[in-house]
Amino acid sequence: MNRREFLHLLSAASAAGLTLPLDPARAEKAAEALYDAPAFGNVSLLHITDCHAQLRPIYFREPNVNIGVGAMANRPPHLVGEAFLKHFKVEPGTRLAHAFTFLDYERYAELYGRVGGFAHLATLVKRLRATRPGALLLDGGDTWQGSGAAMWTKGQDMVDAAKLLGVEAMTLHWECTYGQDRVKEIADKDFAGHIDIIAQNIKTQDFGDPVFKPYVMRAVNGVKVAIVGQAFPYTPIANPRYMVADWTFGIQEDNMQKTVDAARADGAKVVVVLSHNGMDVDLKMASRVRGIDAILGGHTHDGVPAPSIVDNGGGKTLVTNAGSNGKFIGVLDFDVKDGKVSDFRYRLLPIFSNLLPADAEMEALIARTRAPFEIKLNEKLAVSEGLLYRRGNFNGSFDQVILDALIAEKDAEIALSPGFRWGTTILPGEPVTMENVLDQTAITYPYVTLTQMKGSQIKQILEDVCDNLFNPDPYYQQGGDMVRVGGLAYSCDPTATAGNRIGDMALNGKPIDAGKTYKVAGWAAVSEAARDAGGEPIWDLVARHLRARKTISAPKLNLPHLKNVDGNLGLAS
């Protein structure tokens, strides 16, 4: 931390009524304490996931709504705010409390600064590896998508950054939205001899042959470690099928058991699954598949500081999830004795950019890859008067900006926007740049649509997405949060059965008529018809809307009336 950064922190702390160390040296000691992660055992795994192409430090607010239902209620990862801090014994008001929760977000964001950034991550990776010979760096996927630069380079900026960072294996989800040919091109050319793409559950449509290695074996300090890949099971449903037309996915639990058994037969003393299932799915899989020592999970963006320990027929499995947006790195240390894991240590370390100096080589690479796009990315579209964020089961303030823009620009009655979990945060008073808009919208199927829908169709859409989120069987949860809804009031009962969760639908105070037609704007439809219709990209529509207004008031969130959620620890005000 340099003197200017320290003085900024000191000023922010004073304004917030808080205290900081009185000089830079003491501040640096505080950083040393935060990243003091003594080595343990003889096998170490470093885990990143869901960075969504965020190469620079960002702000990212954690959710205040992450509701669990059925057996998943009131247990990790479905804890927010004070319930989260209490469960994991994290002291309120600390850097860790700020990293893991939404509590008093604006105040602490000003104090503690931006998080993530690959140059700062690279510094910590090197530090961790220096005390952990042979440590493996694993990437859980959703790496190549989520920014304008990544979209314009077809993920090449992230491919180059991952190679420089020293990633050894990764699995897939949003990477597939560049198309199967692009994914194979990177796997066979850029990654050859550097990074293995692994996925036991991706097979060819015609003959069921593996598209990628199901697992890789690495020797760590003389211990054979198998890393099994588990790509997002519902990629062809959550994203356009035509982008991976020749591949099949799925959970494939039986094949996972066969793969784990094969790795053990191949001599593996440690078996770890690198998963993009989502944590609820991982917890169920851990209870049913034998022989897995740990699942390093992603997809649901849950930053969980301690693993869940799951019993199964073969023993116990650790289940972790390492957050998103480059904000965390998981450190799993195993002590392997007599051919099996005897003990472990786990830490999920937040990447505070003002406490970790930028790695010069990575910083130079990032500058080079961004250079052609800087002018466009840095265009200031408007100034935000409120906190803009995306995260939570039902809506976020940046999602609301998108909904409001769709209604205004398309003269629609109702707007629908996908329940994506990726997207950075903007503090009050900051400019909203083109880069910020692309952080929320940069996908390869961005087309805006305007559709005449019957009230019954709208209800069916909401019910289907709601079941994807709140189905009590994790294996039927197909990814994402609830579709964001503009203009339409409704209620939601997460505990109800499929087809009965959505009610009280109204527009301008009048009940929705099942047989009446309404004008609905949206974007990111997964159908070929939407692609072929060629609507404008959503980022152009939102940018036009912001330029015309210049100042964006804090948006009023359109949220459903929730039923039967009293006492649910995944819900905070």
Side-chain angles (χ1 to χ4, degrees), residues 38 48 90 171 173 219 236 263 267 273 287 306 312 319 358-359 453 456 458 463 501 516 552 556:
I48 59 173
V90 177
T171 196
H173 173 205
V273 173
S287 74
N312 54 58
V319 177
D359 177 78
M453 286 189 188
S456 58
I458 298 170
E463 290 282 9
R501 295 186 179 94
K516 183 179 177 181
I552 302 298
K556 181 180 179 181

Side-chain angles (χ1 to χ4, degrees), residues 56-349:
R56 294 288 195 193
I58 59 163
Y59 293 111
F60 186 79
R61 176 192 182 273
E62 298 295 331
N64 64 308
V65 183
N66 186 5
I67 296 171
V69 296
M72 296 162 287
N74 298 338
R75 57 181 282 190
H78 300 287
L79 304 171
V80 299
E82 293 176 358
F84 183 103
L85 299 183
K86 182 178 180 180
H87 179 87
F88 291 108
K89 298 179 173 58
V90 177
E91 184 179 351
T94 61
R95 281 187 180 274
L96 290 179
H98 173 61
F100 288 118
T101 72
F102 71 94
L103 295 170
D104 214 352
Y105 181 80
E106 295 174 31
R107 176 189 188 191
Y108 289 114
E110 287 281 359
L111 176 62
Y112 294 133
R114 297 176 187 268
V115 294
F118 262 51
H120 307 274
L121 173 62
T123 296
L124 185 54
V125 167
K126 289 179 178 178
R127 174 173 173 168
L128 292 167
R129 279 180 157 162
T131 60
R132 291 167 169 78
L136 303 177
L137 178 59
L138 309 175
D139 178 355
D142 279 7
T143 303
W144 308 346
Q145 176 277 333
S147 73
M151 181 177 62
W152 293 325
T153 64
K154 297 181 180 180
Q156 192 65 47
D157 63 335
M158 300 309 303
V159 167
D160 294 342
K163 287 169 63 178
L164 182 57
L165 191 64
V167 171
E168 301 195 50
M170 73 172 295
T171 196
L172 303 172
H173 173 205
W174 272 94
E175 289 77 9
C176 296
T177 62
Y178 291 110
Q180 63 189 37
D181 292 343
R182 175 60 174 153
V183 175
K184 285 295 288 180
E185 177 186 37
I186 291 170
D188 296 340
K189 295 180 180 179
D190 296 82
F191 278 2
H194 299 279
I195 301 174
D196 286 301
I197 294 178
I198 52 176
Q200 69 87 21
N201 61 329
I202 302 181
K203 297 182 172 64
T204 59
Q205 182 82 23
D206 48 7
F207 298 111
D209 296 326
V211 176
F212 303 100
K213 297 175 183 177
Y215 72 93
V216 292
M217 191 80 78
R218 297 285 187 269
V220 181
N221 300 318
V223 178
K224 294 183 75 173
V225 180
I227 311 297
V228 181
Q230 176 78 358
F232 180 54
Y234 295 107
T235 297
I237 298 173
N239 308 105
R241 176 74 185 132
Y242 59 80
M243 293 178 168
V244 285
D246 299 329
W247 297 352
T248 65
F249 291 73
I251 293 173
Q252 299 193 31
E253 181 186 283
D254 290 344
N255 196 62
M256 174 62 78
Q257 185 66 70
K258 292 176 183 177
T259 304
V260 172
D261 292 344
R264 291 288 183 185
D266 197 19
K269 306 305 179 186
V270 178
V271 175
V272 172
V273 173
L274 181 62
S275 168
H276 206 87
N277 278 335
M279 191 164 177
D280 288 343
V281 180
D282 286 336
L283 288 166
K284 180 174 179 178
M285 178 174 279
S287 74
R288 295 165 62 90
V289 178
R290 304 173 308 280
I292 300 172
D293 292 299
I295 299 178
L296 304 179
H299 178 61
T300 39
H301 293 198
D302 301 305
V304 182
S308 296
I309 303 176
V310 180
D311 293 320
N312 54 58
K316 298 180 184 297
T317 299
L318 308 178
V319 177
T320 73
N321 204 286
S324 68
N325 286 272
K327 186 176 176 180
F328 299 100
I329 183 168
V331 183
L332 177 58
D333 297 321
F334 282 129
D335 190 20
V336 182
K337 295 179 179 177
D338 301 322
K340 62 181 181 181
V341 173
S342 64
D343 202 356
F344 76 94
R345 298 288 185 274
Y346 182 77
R347 293 191 67 177
L348 186 59
L349 300 175

Side-chain angles (χ1 to χ4, degrees), residues 459-489:
K459 184 178 190 297
Q460 187 61 53
I461 289 171
L462 298 186
E463 290 282 9
D464 287 348
V465 179
C466 203
D467 192 56
N468 290 343
L469 180 60
F470 295 121
N471 193 298
D473 185 344
Y475 278 10
Y476 290 93
Q477 295 175 4
Q478 296 177 3
D481 279 314
M482 184 63 183
V483 61
R484 280 52 172 131
V485 180
L488 176 73

Side-chain angles (χ1 to χ4, degrees), residues 382-404:
V383 173
S384 176
E385 293 182 343
L387 182 73
L388 298 182
Y389 63 90
R390 170 191 282 162
R391 191 65 175 91
N393 287 156
F394 295 101
N395 206 353
S397 51
F398 211 123
D399 292 304
Q400 191 66 51
V401 169
I402 294 172
L403 293 167
D404 293 345

Side-chain angles (χ1 to χ4, degrees), residues 437-459:
V437 171
L438 288 163
D439 285 349
Q440 309 284 333
T441 60
I443 62 174
T444 54
Y445 51 105
Y447 316 108
V448 174
T449 58
L450 187 62
T451 309
Q452 298 291 332
M453 286 189 188
K454 289 185 177 181
S456 58
Q457 291 176 294
I458 298 170
K459 184 178 190 297

